[in-house]
Amino acid sequence: MVKAIRVYELGGPEVLKWEDIEIGDPKEGEIRVKNTAIGVNFIDIYFRTGVYKVPEIPFTPGVEAVGVVTAVGSGVNNLKIGDAVYHSGSAMGTYTEEQIVSVEKAFPLPPIDPLVVASAMVKGLTARFLVRTWFKVEQGHTVLVHAAAGGVGSLLCQWANMLGAIVIGTVSTKEKAIQAKEDGCHHVIIYKEEDFVTRVNEITSGKGVEVVFDSVGKDTFEGSLACLKPRGYMMSYGQSSGMPDPVPLSALAAKSLFLTRPSMRTSGISKDEMREAKGDVLSKVGSGALRIRVNHTYPLSQAAQAHADMADRKTSGSIVLIPDGSSGQ
Ligand SMILES: NC(=O)c1ccc[n+]([C@@H]2O[C@H](COP(=O)([O-])OP(=O)(O)OC[C@H]3O[C@@H](n4cnc5c(N)ncnc54)[C@H](OP(=O)(O)O)[C@@H]3O)[C@@H](O)[C@H]2O)c1
């Protein structure tokens, strides 16, 4: 038996139950992994609340973790007991002390702090596809990043800055504004205090921005469209404040705008593209070009508190769950 977070009904953080579960032995092509650091992503909240459809109920949330191999099934030749691995994308979630993982979903841990790797992959890959694939940020572009101090937002700002863009970030507090500045924002707007559309208009002298990276959704969507220059790109890649209202085509026609709702799950990313993107993220993290901010850790048993804090906008950077009794390494 191992301890895991289980969800029997969709709802608030209180539906995350701490329970004993049976995981069994790995079958052909599988490994058993004792998780040491579990990355928390806002999408875990979408699955918990039903914004994204879960494959089955009950389920264990979580889409990524770092851990140590404790058993291998037949046909597994590239990993052995004791190897440290990162894994992501298995059917069963990662909010568990130990789990069975398809060997295809795991790779050996690079020589980088495990807490950093557990924080870097889903968020880093999202940032990378946003600035390099779904939209290509170029030198001289002006870009607007909402939730600029968040897990993905922090990396988006750093990456867009690295590519030579003028970066405008929005955040909810002064503390988050300091972080966003450090992460490469040339201008930071505290959107709880200032009207971000007016400020973007002032900053760009009325020209608008080439692209908005909008993960906030309902509260920012309309304003984001207003910040774009003619033929600008609206990258609506999340909805932490709720689903945006339906958009009439006339809202795009007003400035011949492009609107996309890209997702790593549905944009047909090939294995080669993913391999290249992972390599890029890990090399930038390893070299220090991308700073991963592990700002919060919680014991795995306290996952509900982590979810509550994230939903209440109390967090910045990344959150990692540490299985009780583990050092996270
Ligand atoms: N499309 C994809 O493939 C993909 C993949 C991964 C993640 N994502 C998206 O990326 C976004 C960021 O994910 P993350 O894990 O890094 O989370 P996060 O950005 O660290 O956390 C959410 C942030 O959103 C902001 N926010 C604004 N209004 C909010 C509200 N009403 N409730 C809660 N938060 C609000 C808060 O920042 P302030 O306090 O500064 O406002 C909050 O800290 C999510 O929307 C997620 O869906 C998309």
Side-chain angles (χ1 to χ4, degrees):
M1 293 285 236
V2 301
K3 287 278 189 192
I5 297 288
R6 298 289 282 164
V7 177
Y8 290 85
E9 55 176 333
L10 304 177
E14 70 284 352
V15 302
L16 300 175
K17 305 292 182 202
W18 182 234
E19 289 193 345
D20 288 322
I21 58 163
E22 201 69 69
I23 55 165
D25 296 318
K27 300 191 189 68
E28 186 177 355
E30 293 179 338
I31 53 177
R32 194 170 67 211
V33 181
K34 192 172 168 42
N35 291 330
T36 52
I38 299 156
V40 175
N41 293 282
F42 210 91
I43 43 181
D44 304 344
I45 295 181
Y46 298 148
F47 282 118
R48 192 202 74 217
T49 53
V51 173
Y52 288 171
K53 201 169 166 353
V54 288
E56 59 184 2
I57 286 188
F59 72 100
T60 296
V63 294
E64 63 179 338
V66 161
V68 176
V69 178
T70 52
V72 296
S74 60
V76 174
N77 305 312
N78 57 332
L79 291 171
K80 58 180 188 319
I81 292 173
D83 283 350
V85 291
Y86 167 88
H87 62 94
S88 173
S90 289
M92 189 184 159
T94 55
Y95 286 20
T96 176
E97 290 177 333
E98 204 161 346
Q99 70 185 111
I100 304 294
V101 173
S102 163
V103 73
E104 288 177 3
K105 310 283 186 191
F107 63 78
L109 201 65
I112 301 173
D113 180 344
L115 292 189
V116 167
V117 178
S119 302
M121 298 312 297
V122 169
K123 298 168 192 73
L125 289 169
T126 306
R128 199 230 187 229
F129 283 111
L130 281 166
V131 299
R132 300 292 313 282
T133 306
W134 299 327
F135 181 85
K136 289 187 194 305
V137 172
E138 290 171 15
Q139 174 91 30
H141 278 168
T142 303
V143 311
L144 175 61
V145 178
H146 289 306
V152 179
S154 155
L155 302 180
L156 265 179
C157 294
Q158 294 178 59
W159 214 314
N161 181 299
M162 242 187 290
L163 292 168
I166 309 284
V167 185
I168 306 173
T170 64
V171 295
S172 62
T173 65
K174 289 194 173 60
E175 294 71 29
K176 289 185 178 186
I178 293 167
Q179 182 188 304
K181 275 257 176 196
E182 286 174 7
D183 284 345
C185 283
H186 300 88
H187 307 273
V188 184
I189 303 168
I190 302 185
Y191 52 3
K192 271 190 165 179
E193 296 172 8
E194 305 167 276
D195 176 49
F196 74 85
V197 179
T198 308
R199 285 287 296 121
V200 168
N201 202 35
E202 285 164 9
I203 292 164
T204 62
S205 306
K207 291 195 187 76
V209 299
E210 264 85 12
V211 60
V212 181
F213 296 110
D214 190 335
S215 65
V216 174
K218 193 170 183 57
D219 291 353
T220 48
F221 191 93
E222 217 183 303
S224 296
L225 292 185
C227 290
L228 285 166
K229 60 165 58 168
R231 281 184 274 159
Y233 280 75
M234 172 65 175
M235 311 294 292
S236 173
Y237 74 98
Q239 56 279 320
S240 51
S241 69
M243 285 288 180
D245 294 329
V247 191
L249 279 180
S250 56
L252 305 180
K255 285 189 280 183
S256 299
L257 301 176
F258 295 86
L259 163 63
T260 175
R261 175 50 179 96
S263 163
M264 281 209 285
R265 296 182 303 154
T266 59
S267 66
I269 296 166
S270 68
K271 282 189 174 163
D272 284 347
E273 273 182 306
M274 187 52 94
R275 197 173 308 114
E276 190 189 343
K278 279 181 179 167
D280 196 7
V281 169
L282 284 171
S283 87
K284 286 195 166 47
V285 171
S287 71
L290 267 187
R291 170 162 46 172
I292 304 290
R293 295 174 176 273
V294 186
N295 286 354
H296 314 268
T297 59
Y298 297 79
L300 174 57
S301 57
Q302 306 299 314
Q305 189 60 53
H307 274 216
D309 290 348
M310 194 179 208
D312 287 346
R313 303 166 76 167
K314 290 181 182 155
T315 64
S316 61
S318 316
I319 306 170
V320 176
L321 300 174
I322 313 284
D324 307 47
S326 164
S327 66
Q329 301 298 308

